[in-house]
Amino acid sequence: MANFEHGDFHARIVGSFASQGAMTMIGAELTRISHGVVEIELPFDTKLTQQHGILHAGVIATGLETACTYAAYTMIDTDASLLTIEFKVNLMSPGRGSRFLFRGEVTRPGTNIIVTDGRGYAVGDGPAKLIASMSGTAMVVRDREGFQD
Amino acid sequence: MANFEHGDFHARIVGSFASQGAMTMIGAELTRISHGVVEIELPFDTKLTQQHGILHAGVIATGLETACTYAAYTMIDTDASLLTIEFKVNLMSPGRGSRFLFRGEVTRPGTNIIVTDGRGYAVGDGPAKLIASMSGTAMVVRDREGFQD
Amino acid sequence: MANFEHGDFHARIVGSFASQGAMTMIGAELTRISHGVVEIELPFDTKLTQQHGILHAGVIATGLETACTYAAYTMIDTDASLLTIEFKVNLMSPGRGSRFLFRGEVTRPGTNIIVTDGRGYAVGDGPAKLIASMSGTAMVVRDREGFQD
Amino acid sequence: MANFEHGDFHARIVGSFASQGAMTMIGAELTRISHGVVEIELPFDTKLTQQHGILHAGVIATGLETACTYAAYTMIDTDASLLTIEFKVNLMSPGRGSRFLFRGEVTRPGTNIIVTDGRGYAVGDGPAKLIASMSGTAMVVRDREGFQD
């Protein structure tokens, strides 16, 4: 059974996040880790832009996919791992702002398959603006049996 | 009607690609621009990794979404622009390799909506290995009427 | 601007739903119409099954897509119409039960594009069981300009 | 290892298809079963319509999801089964015509996860018209370990 003690998944996720080159590259930081919910934030930077000067859809996907995957990590055994199978992103407003927040939540935990949903927001002085949503699926892998697939 | 002369969209896409901070950040280059098909390539780099040291799913999404969007740009009027509405990525094999290629293709052109499909490959000495697929939707915008939405 | 008076969209949706051959075929009925939220219910029937005797994924998609589309109809002008562009369904538990409920909600209203999310449940004597989720995109069409695309 | 002899999966799929209430309900028939590719066809019928009198998006999803699932069945062991995890449908043209064909193909076979792509066409006197595409994911289940999830 999954071990839901906070300390376990918290340390694991912090260490895992720190090992991701991509998180350093985009300037992201972990700002919330709780059971079934993880948040990541990053400041706007011109290196993250697409051709209109706003946040690249791929950077939005990177933030959402990472938040959702770590949300799923809070609900698996410490000897298990996760493979993202697929995800879908809807872009709802231009990624314009000084700072962005990506929240991942577990919609459906499971022994084999975990379904997550994510929301991305432009945050700043005013109210947060919803810029994107994600729906994703991860497979729980034990003994790395999924990796040699 | 859309102008399909090669020179038009070729120069536009080259210029647009060069203006993307995110493409510079991930080290991507345009390697093919033809009517309805665009390819992007990038070398492996540890800055692009997730926690297992392989290409981050978000970087894969970035490459696929960009290739698909520019494939759609080859099929619109030069005074029109595109907004990506949504995309879905399936991850099929770990993003392990020395170099990656992302191909975007237009599946369904249209006056208002363009549907694209993309494939991502790990390329190296041996045969290319399919690592991911994408299916995406873009909206054609004129007079930027979609941007104030 | 959209007219949000209840009577307008309520009558329109009831009439539209009644004209759908597919809703009669699967035995569905409208059970809730409110601003931004529509629910559809249907009893289990062996005619709706896949090979394992449970609700067919396509029937689940039919219920979710219809609920989401009508949720979007509550937020557009009465002279506008909607085209579903795409939707994605996650199947989370087998569609087993005596009755099913599909709820569609508008996540992001818009002048051109409306994003919806849906949830499907098996409902019966005990607590409702989440069987599926949907995320979908519809395009608002006026003067039917999207139909000749 | 999967047994790819034609007779095995052919008989299995024919029997499975015949047991689906939903296939009888929509009037579908299997018209092609080959290794990695399955096709389903159905005639237009007013019982299959949405409010504009064209094929309901859910019926399109039903045809695509079934064709894709059986395409995946051609590539698994005879003692294994499949669970559809998720699928995404893009609607590209109105489902108008006298007859429809849904083709499912395996894009990525696998021991645990199979990725499929589908295309839906309106077929009649003239050339086939692409009306929809699907991308889907199925999980291979043995000893029904996925079903109790």
Side-chain angles (χ1 to χ4, degrees):
Chain A
M1 281 299 296
N3 184 333
F4 292 152
E5 292 172 38
H6 182 278
D8 288 306
F9 65 71
H10 190 281
R12 184 186 195 190
I13 290 170
V14 168
S16 174
F17 187 90
S19 75
Q20 288 205 23
M23 290 300 103
T24 305
M25 176 179 71
I26 65 171
E29 55 182 327
L30 268 169
T31 51
R32 179 179 172 192
I33 306 173
S34 55
H35 186 225
V37 183
V38 165
E39 290 179 4
I40 286 169
E41 293 185 40
L42 56 86
F44 178 79
D45 192 298
T46 54
K47 75 181 176 187
L48 305 174
T49 54
Q50 40 86 291
Q51 71 275 17
H52 301 117
I54 57 176
L55 206 62
H56 196 289
V59 175
I60 294 172
T62 303
L64 288 169
E65 195 272 340
T66 305
C68 284
T69 299
Y70 285 128
Y73 264 105
T74 69
M75 300 185 88
I76 60 169
D77 289 336
T78 50
D79 60 346
S81 188
L82 285 167
L83 277 183
T84 298
I85 296 174
E86 60 80 36
F87 56 93
K88 186 230 194 186
V89 174
N90 263 263
L91 301 169
M92 294 191 258
S93 293
R96 193 173 285 129
S98 58
R99 193 168 179 83
F100 301 93
L101 182 151
F102 302 99
R103 178 183 300 126
E105 295 192 54
V106 173
T107 302
R108 170 67 166 85
T111 333
N112 297 305
I113 297 290
I114 296 180
V115 179
T116 55
D117 281 279
R119 296 278 169 108
Y121 300 90
V123 291
D125 293 337
K129 186 172 175 66
L130 181 63
I131 59 168
S133 67
M134 187 184 113
S135 137
T137 311
M139 181 169 62
V140 183
V141 286
R142 294 176 191 83
D143 310 320
R144 308 183 68 79
E145 87 273 11
F147 284 98
Q148 72 267 30
D149 189 5
Chain B
M1 280 299 296
N3 184 333
F4 293 151
E5 292 172 38
H6 182 278
D8 288 307
F9 64 71
H10 190 280
R12 182 185 195 190
I13 291 170
V14 168
S16 174
F17 187 91
S19 75
Q20 289 205 22
M23 290 301 102
T24 306
M25 177 178 71
I26 65 171
E29 55 182 328
L30 269 169
T31 50
R32 179 180 172 192
I33 305 172
S34 54
H35 186 226
V37 183
V38 166
E39 291 179 4
I40 286 170
E41 295 186 40
L42 55 85
F44 177 79
D45 192 298
T46 53
K47 74 182 176 188
L48 305 173
T49 55
Q50 41 86 291
Q51 70 274 16
H52 300 117
I54 57 176
L55 206 63
H56 195 290
V59 175
I60 294 171
T62 303
L64 287 170
E65 194 272 340
T66 305
C68 284
T69 299
Y70 284 129
Y73 264 105
T74 69
M75 300 185 87
I76 59 170
D77 288 336
T78 49
D79 61 347
S81 188
L82 285 167
L83 276 183
T84 297
I85 296 174
E86 60 82 36
F87 56 93
K88 186 229 194 186
V89 173
N90 263 264
L91 300 169
M92 295 193 258
S93 292
R96 193 173 285 128
S98 57
R99 193 168 179 83
F100 301 94
L101 182 152
F102 303 98
R103 178 183 301 125
E105 296 192 52
V106 173
T107 302
R108 170 68 166 85
T111 334
N112 298 303
I113 297 291
I114 297 179
V115 179
T116 54
D117 282 280
R119 297 279 168 106
Y121 300 90
V123 290
D125 293 338
K129 185 173 175 65
L130 181 64
I131 60 168
S133 67
M134 187 184 112
S135 134
T137 311
M139 182 169 61
V140 183
V141 286
R142 295 174 191 85
D143 310 320
R144 306 183 70 78
E145 89 272 12
F147 283 97
Q148 73 268 28
D149 190 6
Chain C
M1 282 296 296
N3 184 332
F4 292 151
E5 292 172 37
H6 183 279
D8 289 305
F9 64 71
H10 190 279
R12 183 186 195 190
I13 291 169
V14 167
S16 175
F17 188 91
S19 75
Q20 289 205 22
M23 291 300 103
T24 306
M25 176 179 72
I26 65 172
E29 53 183 326
L30 268 169
T31 51
R32 180 180 171 192
I33 306 173
S34 54
H35 186 225
V37 183
V38 165
E39 291 179 4
I40 287 170
E41 295 186 39
L42 57 86
F44 177 78
D45 192 298
T46 53
K47 74 182 175 187
L48 305 173
T49 55
Q50 41 86 291
Q51 71 276 16
H52 301 116
I54 58 176
L55 207 61
H56 195 289
V59 175
I60 294 171
T62 303
L64 287 169
E65 195 272 340
T66 305
C68 284
T69 299
Y70 285 127
Y73 264 105
T74 70
M75 300 185 88
I76 60 169
D77 289 335
T78 50
D79 60 346
S81 190
L82 286 166
L83 276 183
T84 298
I85 295 174
E86 61 81 37
F87 57 93
K88 186 231 195 188
V89 173
N90 263 263
L91 300 169
M92 296 193 257
S93 291
R96 193 174 283 129
S98 57
R99 194 167 179 84
F100 300 94
L101 182 151
F102 303 99
R103 178 183 299 126
E105 295 192 52
V106 172
T107 301
R108 170 70 165 85
T111 333
N112 298 303
I113 297 291
I114 297 180
V115 179
T116 55
D117 282 280
R119 296 279 168 107
Y121 300 90
V123 292
D125 293 336
K129 186 172 175 65
L130 181 65
I131 60 167
S133 67
M134 187 185 112
S135 138
T137 311
M139 181 169 62
V140 183
V141 286
R142 294 174 191 85
D143 311 320
R144 308 184 68 79
E145 88 273 13
F147 284 97
Q148 72 268 30
D149 192 8
Chain D
M1 281 298 294
N3 184 332
F4 291 153
E5 292 173 38
H6 182 279
D8 288 306
F9 65 71
H10 190 281
R12 184 186 194 190
I13 291 170
V14 168
S16 174
F17 186 91
S19 74
Q20 288 205 23
M23 290 300 103
T24 305
M25 177 179 70
I26 65 172
E29 54 183 326
L30 269 169
T31 51
R32 179 180 172 192
I33 305 172
S34 54
H35 186 227
V37 183
V38 164
E39 291 179 3
I40 287 169
E41 294 185 40
L42 56 86
F44 177 78
D45 192 300
T46 54
K47 74 181 176 188
L48 305 173
T49 55
Q50 40 86 292
Q51 70 275 17
H52 300 118
I54 57 175
L55 206 63
H56 196 290
V59 175
I60 294 172
T62 303
L64 288 169
E65 195 271 340
T66 305
C68 283
T69 299
Y70 285 128
Y73 264 105
T74 69
M75 300 185 88
I76 59 170
D77 289 336
T78 49
D79 60 347
S81 189
L82 286 166
L83 277 183
T84 298
I85 296 174
E86 60 80 38
F87 56 94
K88 186 231 196 185
V89 173
N90 263 264
L91 301 169
M92 296 192 257
S93 292
R96 193 173 284 128
S98 57
R99 194 169 179 82
F100 301 94
L101 182 151
F102 302 99
R103 178 183 300 125
E105 295 192 54
V106 172
T107 301
R108 170 69 165 84
T111 334
N112 297 303
I113 297 291
I114 296 179
V115 180
T116 55
D117 282 279
R119 298 277 169 108
Y121 300 90
V123 292
D125 292 337
K129 186 172 175 65
L130 181 64
I131 60 168
S133 67
M134 187 185 113
S135 135
T137 311
M139 180 169 64
V140 183
V141 287
R142 294 175 192 84
D143 310 321
R144 308 184 69 79
E145 88 271 13
F147 283 97
Q148 72 266 29
D149 190 6

